Amino acid sequence: QVQLVESGGGLVQAGGSLRLSCVASGRTFSNYVMGWFRQAPGKERELLASVRWSAGNTNYADSVKGRFTISRDSAKNTVYLQMNSLKPEDTAVYYCAARLSGNAKYGYWGQGTQVTVSS
């Protein structure tokens, strides 16, 4: 049973930083792609960044490129999202997700963690 558990959300002022963590368990993730999504009230869920667990290749949405960094620590089975220069429009629930490399759809999701950026 795959489990993804996020942590690290909270309240931060605009311009500040937060680091989200996602601990993954239940299987070996070497053949998986891990992603960070967010969903703000009234908006669709948005894919922010992804990392291929084995090779470490990363991709970013234009909205966060240059401000957010995704990384993984294989020894800790943990994926991180370092968020810098936060803006009020980054306020959302942030989710960690996983998909097999050959699949287009993310099949495993964490419970989400709230990030609130005050102006």
Side-chain angles (χ1 to χ4, degrees), residues 76-119:
K76 296 182 179 179
N77 252 26
T78 300
V79 180
Y80 301 100
L81 186 68
Q82 177 67 43
M83 306 186 295
N84 298 328
S85 303
L86 284 162
K87 307 173 183 179
E89 51 263 43
D90 293 317
T91 295
V93 178
Y94 284 69
Y95 298 90
C96 175
R99 63 174 174 86
L100 278 167
S101 292
N103 289 355
K105 187 177 177 181
Y106 285 82
Y108 303 100
W109 294 85
Q111 82 286 354
T113 185
Q114 176 71 45
V115 171
T116 303
V117 184
S118 62
S119 57

Side-chain angles (χ1 to χ4, degrees), residues 49-52 55-60 69-71:
S50 64
V51 60
R52 193 170 294 274
N57 310 67
T58 57
N59 283 288
Y60 295 92
T69 302
I70 189 171
S71 62

Side-chain angles (χ1 to χ4, degrees), residues 1-103:
Q1 183 79 5
V2 173
Q3 269 201 314
L4 304 174
V5 181
E6 303 102 330
S7 62
L11 174 64
V12 65
Q13 287 191 332
S17 298
L18 280 175
R19 188 177 78 159
L20 305 183
S21 300
C22 171
V23 178
S25 62
R27 63 187 55 185
T28 302
F29 289 91
S30 57
N31 199 30
Y32 279 75
V33 176
M34 308 299 293
W36 280 100
F37 290 74
R38 71 183 176 192
Q39 188 165 23
K43 294 190 176 181
E44 290 191 359
R45 191 170 291 186
E46 175 188 14
L47 174 61
L48 304 176
S50 64
V51 60
R52 193 170 294 274
W53 195 285
S54 55
N57 310 67
T58 57
N59 283 288
Y60 295 92
D62 288 343
S63 57
V64 303
K65 201 173 290 184
R67 297 190 300 127
F68 291 10
T69 302
I70 189 171
S71 62
R72 85 269 186 260
D73 184 332
S74 297
K76 296 182 179 179
N77 252 26
T78 300
V79 180
Y80 301 100
L81 186 68
Q82 177 67 43
M83 306 186 295
N84 298 328
S85 303
L86 284 162
K87 307 173 183 179
E89 51 263 43
D90 293 317
T91 295
V93 178
Y94 284 69
Y95 298 90
C96 175
R99 63 174 174 86
L100 278 167
S101 292
N103 289 355

